[in-house]
Amino acid sequence: MPASISLSGLSWSTPDGTPLFTDLNLTFGPERTGIVGRNGTGKSTLLRLIAGDLRPVSGQVQIAGTIAMMRQDAMEHPNDTIADLFGKRPALDLLDRAEAGLAEADDLAEADWTLPARIEAALLRCGLSAGPQTPLATLSGGQRGRAALAVLILAEPDFLLLDEPTNNLDRDGRRAVIDLIRGWKGGAIIVSHDRELLEEVDAIVELTSIGATLYGGNYSAFRRRKDTELDAAARDLAHAEKTRSDAARRAQQATERKARKDSAGHCARSKGDQPKILMDAAKGRAEASGGAGARLRDARREAADEALSAAREKIEILQPLRMDIPPTGLAPGRTVLRLDGVTGGYDPDHPVIRDLSLTITGPERIVISGPNGSGKTTLLKIITGQIVPQRGRVDLTVPFALLDQHVRLLDPAGTLRDNFLCLNPSADGHTAHAALARFGFRAADALRHAGELSGGERLRAGLACALGGKPSPMLLILDEPTNHLDLDGIAALEAALAAYDGAMLAISHDEAFVRSLAPDRTIHLGI
């Protein structure tokens, strides 16, 4: 029987009872399927239901074959090693006892002498030279991601379950994931917003608030289909609006005609030219006809209203997000940032940044690149004053905003409105609501607490709070901004940054995002 995963009538709700999806029916065969959707639609939850980490409210998950899941956070306990991540510590301990002559005969019968070599090969395939006894705590986020990928390679399951597998990975790590998926012969279900990775899939399932839709083909095919749907929805909305307008106009015309006829009938009755019985009969016929006409007009209006409401709901689902960044007025010749012979880092004996000089003038766009551990984020902290350089000088001469992937500038306990006013003390409530609305947080959304937001929503809120005040920051510093954004959020961010007239300093391993920035220069670290 070929490997497959079937979801039948699957429903799940959040702890507060809010339905996340209802009566979901999907079947996955031995192909590579991407799962996409806006933040909060339940993509990771769906993987956890398939993996058995969660139990559905109703429905069932049927699995034919074996599965292995790569999670966003590969580190389970502070004292865990790579061997624990593989789930092979007891087997490796047995080999150690056998080599020391301490194993029993029964134990030796169970020993897998090929295991260390296979673990090492899986790690090397993912570009990781660490051994099984290496503590996970000593690995960077990107290295832990590579180790988690190696676990899947060793397991060789019928189905891979991958949850944002390229997050926190450098270019080489992302390439390892893409190569794995490109050559994978079994089934794979991949939650991701990485457009390069999604180009390797055979189908895409989009989760929305109204269910799941399957699209054949890779990301490019999905995007073309979505653009076509958006165009069709826009046409349907325009038609519905015209139909509603026409119905209202015809109703008004009918009301005016009836008023004229009623007025003429009243005049005729007052003259007494016809017998009263005939006048009363004519009045009854007119009232009956008018009532029937009014009911028909009401029915047409209701139908037009329902069609318009349905068209608006559809366009709301399909319409991309918008982020509007106000202008900064940065002059082309103004010096924004100057680094002169900067050396620094967390370890004074081994500074990761050495003798770096850099000048940004006017609205330049600069990308900082390099492998994990090359000091990219450390450099941003030196520039923004969070780390004092050991040597050299940093001159940051304009207002700036720093947005990291976790958006630490927001207080999780505060509302978005409160966060905005805290970061922009001279602003008032109206300014706060207007700025948040430009980034998609309208009306009551401004009173949501930052800690309740998804990763993508936090980034949008951070941009609104950092860029919505006055004066607008003339330098925008971004540290892996797309890591927790969904596809619509990435598209909205790219569009907003394309219109931004200030200077920009960005770290990103997302090549598609970097291309959209159209950087003037790239600074390579760790080379």
Side-chain angles (χ1 to χ4, degrees), residues 215 219-236 314-315 318-320:
Y215 297 84
Y219 176 73
S220 294
F222 165 75
R223 191 65 266 166
R224 288 193 296 270
R225 179 75 177 274
K226 292 296 291 182
D227 290 342
T228 300
E229 289 181 357
L230 183 57
D231 290 341
R235 290 194 297 272
D236 290 346
K314 193 171 184 180
I315 205 77
L318 295 174
Q319 185 67 47

Side-chain angles (χ1 to χ4, degrees), residues 112-194:
D112 181 358
W113 296 99
T114 68
L115 181 60
R118 290 190 290 116
I119 290 178
E120 182 180 356
L123 291 168
L124 288 175
R125 183 174 169 184
C126 298
L128 200 60
S129 59
Q133 302 309 318
T134 302
L136 292 179
T138 65
L139 302 181
S140 68
Q143 289 171 324
R144 288 200 298 273
R146 294 187 190 205
L149 186 63
V151 172
L152 300 186
I153 293 173
L154 184 71
E156 296 183 336
D158 295 311
F159 271 94
L160 296 177
L161 305 181
L162 306 179
D163 191 3
E164 300 289 4
T166 58
N167 267 10
N168 302 313
L169 294 183
D170 57 21
R171 186 63 229 158
D172 289 342
R174 293 166 77 98
R175 175 53 55 190
V177 175
I178 291 169
D179 287 345
L180 173 67
I181 296 304
R182 181 175 294 160
W184 190 254
K185 303 303 182 184
I189 303 175
I190 309 159
V191 170
S192 181
H193 59 257
D194 187 325

Side-chain angles (χ1 to χ4, degrees), residues 487-510:
L487 291 169
D488 285 342
I490 293 173
L493 178 61
E494 289 176 346
L497 295 180
Y500 178 62
D501 66 348
M504 195 182 306
L505 189 62
I507 295 172
S508 179
H509 293 299
D510 184 339

